[in-house]
Amino acid sequence: KGGLMLITNAMKNLKEDNLLQKNACSALSALVSNVPEDLLIKSQVIPTVIDSMKYHSKILDVQLEGLIFLHTMCIKGRKFKGAIANAGGISTITTAAKEHLTSSDLLVRAFKVISTLATLDQCQTMISESNFIFALINGMMANIDSKDLQMQACGALCALSSDPQNKNMIHLQKGTEAIVFAMRVHFDSEPFQTLACKTILSITVGDNAEASNNKGDVIDAIITAMEKFPSVFRLQENAVLVLQCLSESPSNLDFMKEKSEKLVKVLHMCLSHENPSFQDNAVSLLSQFIT
């Protein structure tokens, strides 16, 4: 208890000292695991760290350590996620992402925190209002060579797409196109291709016909992933579901028919996976391309 109060008081009293703020955030991350939950809430440690991040928004080291602390608090449970949201944490994380768009380390940490916060409906609304998705997708494009960042971005998009407002924002900011671009860059990474297919499915499922129109680039990327990793069941399963969703749009179905030779080949390979419901989906899709 004494150490917690000592650090938070120092942060409040020496607000302009960015080195102290950085070291204090780091110390708090190590300390909070041994502090009772009710004391953590009463200590106002979460608002103190968020205030420090706001004050030193341009200081990368403070942002990095602050994000580590916030993630540590997030994984402690719902009430800590709520405390972060209520203290202005989501807008602060969004500012950090926008200010440090070329720092893959910071963005990876920001995406991790947002993915965890997104399990609360209250946080989903705040994330939408903060326009975090704009920063996320710009961050993907600015750091396209970082596979770790692309993985974390997909995880965040997958979590955020469960909310209708955020799903619409992902479409408006061309999130699926950003994922497809990353799939081309990291074409030889099975874990990323698998997660990318899952994320595209999460963004695509439930879309109306207009939102799903003219997705030729997505279809190409999905087929390429299926060809590259035919033995990976999760990738194939999500890929087939994406193609089923997209085939409901006439423009996409026409495009898929142009690719029917490749599609028939990859869908036949799917049948080697002994999963009845998956095989049914593959056969149903395959029937549209066999004359």
Side-chain angles (χ1 to χ4, degrees):
K1 178 180 178 181
L4 187 69
M5 297 308 298
L6 185 66
I7 295 170
T8 53
N9 284 336
M11 292 179 75
K12 291 173 183 176
N13 293 330
L14 298 167
K15 198 169 186 177
E16 295 182 0
D17 187 337
N18 62 68
L19 181 59
L20 180 142
Q21 300 294 322
K22 170 206 163 188
N23 290 334
C25 289
S26 178
L28 287 170
S29 295
L31 186 64
V32 292
S33 60
N34 298 316
V35 179
E37 291 188 354
D38 59 337
L39 181 58
L40 284 174
I41 297 293
K42 289 177 183 176
S43 71
Q44 293 292 295
V45 64
I46 290 173
T48 300
V49 170
I50 290 170
D51 284 346
S52 174
M53 293 176 69
K54 288 177 181 176
Y55 192 84
H56 297 282
S57 62
K58 296 185 184 298
I59 307 298
L60 178 61
D61 286 346
V62 174
Q63 301 303 310
L64 289 169
E65 294 299 337
L67 287 166
I68 292 172
F69 170 80
L70 293 179
H71 187 253
T72 301
M73 299 307 294
C74 274
I75 60 181
K76 292 178 78 68
R78 290 177 62 89
K79 63 181 170 183
F80 294 99
K81 295 175 190 176
I84 290 168
N86 291 333
I90 289 169
S91 62
T92 302
I93 296 167
T94 301
T95 298
K98 290 177 179 177
E99 288 278 1
H100 303 279
L101 201 61
T102 59
S103 171
S104 60
D105 286 345
L106 181 140
L107 292 177
V108 164
R109 292 174 188 180
F111 297 167
K112 282 182 180 178
V113 178
I114 290 293
S115 296
T116 311
L117 290 172
T119 58
L120 290 186
D121 290 344
Q122 167 197 6
C123 292
Q124 286 270 16
T125 301
M126 291 183 175
I127 291 165
S128 174
E129 291 170 350
S130 75
N131 205 14
F132 178 81
I133 290 167
F134 173 82
L136 187 155
I137 293 169
N138 280 349
M140 289 178 72
M141 301 308 292
N143 301 272
I144 195 67
D145 291 331
S146 171
K147 183 175 69 177
D148 188 25
L149 182 142
Q150 302 302 324
M151 293 280 290
Q152 292 298 333
C154 280
L157 289 170
C158 206
L160 293 171
S161 64
S162 64
D163 175 80
Q165 276 187 303
N166 280 319
K167 178 182 276 197
N168 185 53
M169 186 71 71
I170 291 167
H171 283 307
L172 290 174
Q173 299 294 339
K174 300 190 180 301
T176 305
E177 288 84 346
I179 297 170
V180 167
F181 191 36
M183 289 175 78
R184 290 172 180 157
V185 173
H186 302 284
F187 67 93
D188 58 346
S189 170
E190 178 270 306
F192 175 68
Q193 295 290 325
T194 299
L195 180 56
C197 289
K198 177 184 176 182
T199 306
I200 291 173
L201 175 62
S202 183
I203 296 168
T204 303
V205 69
D207 278 347
N208 57 40
E210 184 179 351
S212 295
N213 273 337
N214 302 312
K215 296 294 184 182
D217 286 348
V218 179
I219 294 164
D220 269 337
I222 294 291
I223 293 172
T224 299
M226 294 176 77
E227 289 175 323
K228 180 79 174 173
F229 302 104
S231 64
V232 181
F233 174 70
R234 289 302 173 200
L235 184 152
Q236 299 294 325
E237 180 183 40
N238 288 322
V240 166
L241 291 172
V242 170
L243 293 175
Q244 280 188 313
C245 289
L246 294 179
S247 69
E248 294 175 8
S249 159
S251 65
N252 290 330
L253 186 58
D254 287 343
F255 183 87
M256 291 162 79
K257 286 178 178 177
E258 293 175 11
K259 303 282 181 177
S260 61
E261 186 176 344
K262 281 187 174 183
L263 263 174
V264 168
K265 184 179 177 181
V266 294
L267 290 171
H268 271 302
M269 287 192 291
C270 287
L271 300 179
S272 65
H273 294 281
E274 296 181 1
N275 180 292
S277 63
F278 170 65
Q279 289 180 335
D280 287 347
N281 287 335
V283 168
S284 174
L285 189 59
L286 186 60
S287 67
Q288 298 187 68
F289 307 106
I290 295 178
T291 55

